[in-house]
Amino acid sequence: MKRLVLAGGGHAHLNVLKTLAAGAWPGVEVVLISPYARQIYSGMLPGWIAGHYQLDQCAAELSPLAAAAGVRFVEDSVVGMDATRQQVHCKSVGELNYDVLSLDTGAQVNVSGLSMTGATLLPIRPLEQFIVGWVHQLAAFIAAGQARVAVVGGGAAGIELALAVRHRLASLLGPQRAEVFLVEGGSLLPGHGQGVLARVVKALAERGVQRLPGLAAGSPNGLQLADGRELAVDCVIAATGVSAPPWLAGSGLQRAQDGFVAVGDGQQSVSHPNVFAGGDVASRIDAPHAKSGVYAVRAGPVLSENLKCFLAGQKIAPHQPQRRTLYLLATGPRAAIVSWGGWSASGRWAWCWKDWIDRRFMRQYVLKSKGAQAGC
C-alpha cells in the first residue's frame, strides 16, 4: 500500500479530492493535512467583504469532502519536511511518512515593513485568520460609527479589497464616515494593459477610494508614506507581495529564485520526482506565471491526473499554463471589470459573469445545498 500525502487544502487539492470521490486509486492510502477545517475560495472573498455573500457560500468543508473521497483528514499545520527521508513534519501529530507528496499549502504575506504599525494589522493570508480579524474590526467600526482603513498593495487583490471595504463601510456607516485608502506601492495593477488600468482608476475614484502612490511603512499611528507624511488609520490590510513558508528552506527540495518549490512540466518537483506542488507554493521554472487563484484552480486537474499516473508507474501528462488569462475584478457593488489581454470592459453584467463562474466552481465542492443571496 502506497501512501499519498496531500499537504494543504488549497484550490488545487480540492480537485484531487473530487477526483478521488469519483473513484478510489487502487493500492493507495491518501492523507490530507490542513490547519483549517474548510478552504475559503479567495475569488469570492471581496464579494463576502462587500456583503454580497454569506461566508459559507465561499467555503468548502474539507472533512466531508475527504470522507466522500475515502481520504483521512488530519487537521494540523505542516511545519517542516525532509524530502530525503520522505517525511512531513506536523505541528501536533509529528512526523508523517509518504511515498508521494503533493504540496498545496499556499504562501504567506510579507508584512515585515508594516510590523511597526500601531493600527490593527490584517494580512490577507492565511484567509481564515484574516476573516476572524476582519469580523472583529468591522464590529469595532460599527460601534465607533466611523472607520479609516488603509489597504496596502496595488495589485488585483489590493484593488478588489479596497473597493469591497469601501462599499461595505459606506453602506453601514455612511460615505462620509468611512475613509478607505489604497497604498499602491511601486505601481497600480502591474502587468496589465492601459485599458483595464483606466477602468480601475475610474472605479476607485467613483467609489471614493483615495489613492496613495508609493510605498509605506508601519508607524505608531498607522502608516508612514513615501513622501514622509504619516497616515493615521484604524486598520491596515496587507495585500502586499507573498513569500514562501519558512519551513521550505530546510525541506531538501530545490527551490526557485523566489523561494518557492521549483516545479517543471506536470507540476512535478525538479529535484524529487515523487513530490508535486500546485498553487502559490509552487513556481514553474519552465513557464513562469503570476501567483493567482486562476492558476491554482487550473493546476488542480493536472495534479489529479499526474498523481494518479505517478502512483501507477505511468508517464505523467504535460501541462503548459496559459500565457494570458481572463481577469474579473469585483469593484465593490455588484459590478466588475473584465480583461483579456489588451481588451477590457466593465459593468453589472461583468459581475453577473464573475458570480456565475465563482458559484459554478464552488458547486463542485459543496455536498449539500447552500442558500443563494447574490445571484443575478
Side-chain angles (χ1 to χ4, degrees), residues 45-51 55 120-124 126-142 147-151 161-170 172-173 178-180 234-237:
L45 182 71
W48 171 73
I49 291 174
L55 187 57
T120 300
L121 178 60
L122 297 179
I124 62 171
L127 285 179
E128 284 284 356
Q129 293 182 19
F130 170 78
I131 286 168
V132 171
W134 175 248
V135 168
H136 286 302
Q137 187 62 58
L138 186 61
F141 286 148
I142 293 172
R148 285 173 62 89
V149 179
V151 178
L161 288 170
L163 289 164
V165 168
R166 167 65 180 175
H167 177 75
R168 185 67 180 277
L169 292 177
L172 291 173
L173 307 176
E179 293 187 275
V180 177
D234 308 303
C235 175
V236 174
I237 296 176

Side-chain angles (χ1 to χ4, degrees), residues 24 29 41 93 132 180 207 241 262 276 284 287 326 361 363 370:
E29 174 200 9
Y41 177 39
V93 303
V132 171
V180 177
R207 310 291 191 243
F276 293 76
R284 283 289 296 263
L326 177 72
F361 174 75
R363 276 197 299 270
K370 292 181 179 179

Side-chain angles (χ1 to χ4, degrees), residues 39-240:
Q39 172 65 24
I40 304 297
Y41 177 39
S42 59
M44 296 176 77
L45 182 71
W48 171 73
I49 291 174
H52 306 319
Y53 300 116
Q54 297 294 326
L55 187 57
D56 68 345
Q57 293 176 280
C58 313
E61 302 293 337
L62 294 178
S63 184
L65 287 171
V71 172
R72 178 159 65 97
F73 177 49
V74 178
E75 191 170 340
D76 203 348
S77 299
V78 174
V79 294
M81 68 166 288
D82 187 328
T84 301
R85 299 178 63 188
Q86 297 186 182
Q87 290 180 334
V88 172
H89 307 302
C90 301
K91 184 176 182 180
S92 298
V93 303
E95 296 178 349
L96 192 63
N97 295 322
Y98 65 83
D99 295 294
V100 179
L101 173 67
S102 182
L103 296 170
D104 189 16
T105 54
Q108 60 184 36
V109 178
N110 184 357
V111 294
S112 57
L114 302 173
S115 60
M116 298 302 294
T117 182
T120 300
L121 178 60
L122 297 179
I124 62 171
R125 304 185 192 199
L127 285 179
E128 284 284 356
Q129 293 182 19
F130 170 78
I131 286 168
V132 171
W134 175 248
V135 168
H136 286 302
Q137 187 62 58
L138 186 61
F141 286 148
I142 293 172
Q146 60 185 6
R148 285 173 62 89
V149 179
V151 178
V152 181
I159 291 166
E160 284 194 300
L161 288 170
L163 289 164
V165 168
R166 167 65 180 175
H167 177 75
R168 185 67 180 277
L169 292 177
S171 65
L172 291 173
L173 307 176
Q176 304 306 316
R177 301 184 69 82
E179 293 187 275
V180 177
F181 305 87
L182 177 62
V183 181
E184 299 174 1
S187 61
L188 185 66
L189 206 61
H192 291 258
Q194 290 299 311
V196 67
L197 179 59
R199 292 181 185 276
V200 166
V201 169
K202 181 180 179 183
L204 292 169
E206 289 178 346
R207 310 291 191 243
V209 174
Q210 303 177 56
R211 296 173 56 199
L212 297 172
L215 302 174
S219 68
N221 291 322
L223 294 174
Q224 185 81 32
L225 302 179
D227 60 7
R229 290 181 297 153
E230 187 171 43
L231 179 68
V233 292
D234 308 303
C235 175
V236 174
I237 296 176
T240 48

Side-chain angles (χ1 to χ4, degrees), residues 52-53 57 334 348 351-352 355-356 359 372-376:
H52 306 319
Y53 300 116
Q57 293 176 280
R334 292 176 186 174
R348 176 177 169 82
W351 161 262
C352 291
D355 178 67
W356 177 80
R359 288 173 181 270
Q373 180 181 345
C376 295

Side-chain angles (χ1 to χ4, degrees), residues 3-56:
R3 175 181 284 173
L4 166 63
V5 171
L6 305 174
H11 301 342
H13 278 174
L14 290 179
N15 187 274
V16 179
L17 293 178
K18 183 181 76 168
T19 302
L20 285 164
W25 300 342
V28 179
E29 174 200 9
V30 186
V31 181
L32 170 67
I33 306 168
S34 177
Y36 305 108
R38 63 187 178 184
Q39 172 65 24
I40 304 297
Y41 177 39
S42 59
M44 296 176 77
L45 182 71
W48 171 73
I49 291 174
H52 306 319
Y53 300 116
Q54 297 294 326
L55 187 57
D56 68 345

